[in-house]
Each structure stands twice: as C-alpha cells, then as structure tokens.
Amino acid sequence: MGKDSYYVGIGEMKVTHNPHQLIIMGLGSCIGLALYDRNAKVGGMAHIMLPESAGRCRCSTKRSCKFADRAVPILVDEMLRHNAAKSRMVAKLAGGASLFTTMDTLRIGEKNAEMVKEKLRQEGIKVVAEDTGGNYARTIKLDTCTGRLSVKTKDGVRVI
Amino acid sequence: MPKVEVVAIEELQRLIDQDKIVAGILVELEGDLSGYLQVLFPARSAFTLVDMLMGRTNGDTKSIETDMERSALMETGNILASSFCSAIADFFHTTLMPTPPSFAFDMMGAMVENAIIAVAQMQMTDQIILFRCDFKDEKELTIRGYILMFPSFDAVKRILSVLQGMVGDGEG
C-alpha cells in the first residue's frame, strides 16, 4: 500500500490512517494540532489560526478550522467518523510562535495554544506532547503508524 | 519592473515555497490605508545583499547570525517599505505611515501566515497584493525580493473608491 502525504493548509483539517502522513509547513503563530488513536492507527491534524470565532461564522466549511474554539470539536468528530475512539485519543501540539517583535503585543501564538488546550480539556483529551512558543517557525509531520510527530525548524528536527 | 498580482489568501499559501528560508521585514501600516507590509528576500539574495552592504566578497556570507547582518537587511527592507509607502500614498492622495520594522530569518510560510493572522484580527480581507521585483547592481548581481501588502478591509474600500473616482474624472 502506498504511503501518501497530505498537506493541511491554513484553517483546514484532515484525518487519515496508517500508513499515510499529515504535514503542515511553515507554522508561525498558528497551532498545528495532531490527534491520534494508537489502536485504530488513525491520525488527524488541524491548522488553527486564531483563538476564538466570536460570532465570525462567515468561514466556509473548507476553512472551518480557522478558529480554535470550533476546530477542536470538528477535528474530534472527523476522527470519530474514521473509527477512532475518544477514550483512546491523545493530542500533540506545535506552533504558537512569535516571529516578529512588531506583533508581540498581540500574543496570538500564546492565546492560540491556551484556547486549544482549554478545548481539549473540555473534550477530555490528554495533551501528551507539546512544542509551542519561541520565535521560530516549524514544519510538522504526523506519522499515523507510530503517532510520532516530527518538528522541523531551521536548526534541526526533533520528534515529540 | 515589478510583477504585480492580487491573490487570494488561499492561493498565496500554494504560490509560495512555504519551507523556504527567507529574510523578512514586517511593518504595520497606519493611516487611511491600514494593514501590514512585508518585504521578503530569499536566503541567497539576502546573503548577496549582506555581502554588498558590508563590503564582503560575493559568496562570503552564508548565514544571518550577527546583529550587524540582521540590521543591514532590516534597514534595506525598511528603506524599500518606506519608499513603497510614499509612492502608494502619493498615488492615492492619502497618508501611509509605516511603523518601525521587525525582522526575522526563517520559513516563508510562517512569515506570511503571521501577517494574514494580524489582518484577520483587525478585519477580514481575503486578498493580498503581491509585488515581485528583481534588483540588479552594476555587476549584474541579481537580488530577488517580494513586497507583500496585506490591506485591511477599510484600506481595500479606500483604494476602490479612489480608483472609481479616477474613472469618473476620466469620463467627465
């Protein structure tokens, strides 16, 4: 069986299963949220842009994962549709950086990470690994065979 | 002559090489045409620029590490952003004030994403104005650069109304 890579664009999400992998390239203050069910070997990823939708519901269904408060339940539902079980789901997140000092005051990355974790708590999903913050970009890759998330920066790669 | 394109945010994500390392300068625009302006130099062009500005032999600079190197690129970007702003302001008979710049040397995708988010925070727009330019020195060394303008919703309205006014004048 061929191994495919799916790229998840800004505000999008995607769920797939072993042996495929999910990739988000060049994460800045956005959050890359990865959910994984080890038994079903099903993995999902959302590329989240801002913490709250705050009534801005103009987003198309294609980019329904722009906002953390909506993205988390949407991704969980999609995982369930792919035969993952909520009790086995674990979460890993990466991103939430602040590249430019001009935008430090907005603290978007930090707020994004907080909201994603709050929503995961509400869903009862445990965060098992996290690589957020800092002032550098990340490219992340979820291997649905192992549940490992590799985080590449311009200085190297680490696996969480 | 620069190539100018108006692209939708989702297209921009596909258009650029997201993993590519670039030197980026970000300024916030204040005044009637609010939004963000970003000047990007691909890594190789950034190295060539540093060689020129710091009197090094072409090919000497292989990474951007020191404050001197960062500040040389930031100033070049700032000058470009400022002259761009005054040209646009003149054309639209308006004011456009760039704030002091900030600098990053990292993946292009993350830099662009930052500006998209900032504009989305203010007011949703889904269009970006992208300028691609090549600069040449007397030795024909080419520096490639991108200027990206992320206009707020109010700025887009203002641009359109001025353009409509111009068309109207022409007819009158």
Side-chain angles (χ1 to χ4, degrees):
Chain A
M1 189 155 64
K3 184 170 168 169
D4 294 324
S5 297
Y6 299 104
Y7 293 86
V8 184
I10 196 161
E12 295 174 359
M13 60 113 186
K14 173 86 187 163
V15 173
T16 186
H17 54 79
N18 181 41
H20 308 308
Q21 54 183 14
L22 293 163
I23 299 172
I24 297 178
M25 285 170 87
L27 270 175
S29 47
C30 284
I31 295 284
L33 166 65
L35 294 182
Y36 185 65
D37 176 335
R38 187 171 298 276
N39 285 28
K41 291 199 187 295
V42 167
M45 219 181 233
H47 188 164
I48 299 162
M49 201 171 142
L50 288 165
E52 278 178 284
S53 52
R56 286 178 289 194
C57 282
R58 296 196 287 146
C59 31
S60 58
T61 40
K62 187 170 181 260
R63 275 171 216 284
S64 52
C65 287
K66 259 182 193 165
F67 304 103
D69 56 347
R70 300 188 59 201
V72 174
I74 290 172
L75 184 62
V76 170
D77 279 354
E78 190 64 17
M79 289 284 289
L80 295 174
R81 260 195 290 277
H82 283 73
N83 300 320
K86 208 166 171 179
S87 58
R88 294 191 304 251
M89 270 184 224
V90 292
K92 293 184 180 182
L93 48 139
S98 177
L99 262 73
F100 291 102
T101 50
T102 306
M103 292 175 58
D104 277 355
T105 49
L106 297 175
R107 291 174 43 247
I108 291 169
E110 208 180 305
K111 288 187 206 159
N112 275 341
E114 280 166 18
M115 181 57 89
V116 170
K117 282 188 277 185
E118 172 58 29
K119 287 288 156 186
L120 287 168
R121 246 191 313 275
Q122 288 174 13
E123 295 279 347
I125 296 167
K126 199 176 158 200
V127 177
V128 292
E130 180 181 349
D131 181 12
T132 57
N135 59 353
Y136 47 86
R138 298 164 169 92
T139 283
I140 61 170
K141 190 156 68 180
L142 176 70
D143 179 345
T144 55
C145 177
T146 60
R148 273 190 226 147
L149 186 74
S150 87
V151 181
K152 192 176 100 186
T153 68
K154 70 177 197 288
D155 298 317
V157 184
R158 55 181 167 264
V159 178
I160 63 170
Chain B
M1 272 298 280
K3 263 177 73 180
V4 185
E5 285 166 76
V6 177
V7 294
I9 285 177
E10 44 258 57
E11 275 175 62
L12 185 70
Q13 291 262 316
R14 315 259 178 266
L15 218 73
I16 60 167
D17 219 334
Q18 305 213 46
D19 242 359
K20 190 167 167 179
I21 304 289
V22 297
I25 293 93
L26 180 73
V27 298
E28 193 178 343
L29 304 176
E30 289 169 351
D32 288 338
L33 297 181
S34 56
Y36 283 85
L37 192 73
Q38 213 165 32
V39 181
L40 304 175
F41 298 109
R44 191 186 292 254
S45 286
F47 299 157
T48 310
L49 248 177
V50 172
D51 284 338
M52 286 177 182
L53 292 165
M54 298 182 59
R56 297 175 179 167
T57 313
N58 184 38
D60 269 11
T61 308
K62 288 181 179 70
S63 65
I64 304 297
E65 271 157 24
T66 67
D67 283 346
M68 265 305 252
E69 291 162 340
R70 296 167 71 88
S71 122
L73 288 169
M74 188 157 94
E75 274 317 308
T76 312
N78 196 28
I79 291 165
L80 261 174
S82 303
S83 42
F84 179 87
C85 284
S86 49
I88 296 279
D90 278 355
F91 186 76
F92 288 107
H93 308 290
T94 181
T95 53
L96 201 56
M97 291 295 299
T99 59
S102 55
F103 177 85
F105 185 68
D106 216 314
M107 296 174 200
M108 192 164 176
M111 295 201 188
V112 170
E113 178 203 81
N114 245 289
I116 292 174
I117 291 175
V119 176
Q121 274 277 21
M122 300 199 291
Q123 262 296 339
M124 284 293 186
T125 42
D126 47 14
Q127 302 286 312
I128 286 160
I129 308 173
L130 171 68
F131 299 80
R132 290 178 221 239
C133 3
D134 286 330
F135 310 95
K136 278 192 172 55
D137 80 337
E138 63 273 22
K139 282 174 272 173
E140 293 291 298
L141 284 172
T142 301
I143 310 277
R144 170 143 299 177
Y146 302 89
I147 300 175
L148 285 79
M149 189 180 178
F150 298 81
S152 67
F153 194 65
D154 286 342
V156 174
K157 275 203 291 199
R158 168 95 194 178
I159 291 172
L160 289 177
S161 80
V162 173
L163 289 177
Q164 267 162 5
M166 285 174 180
V167 173
D169 287 349
E171 283 168 354

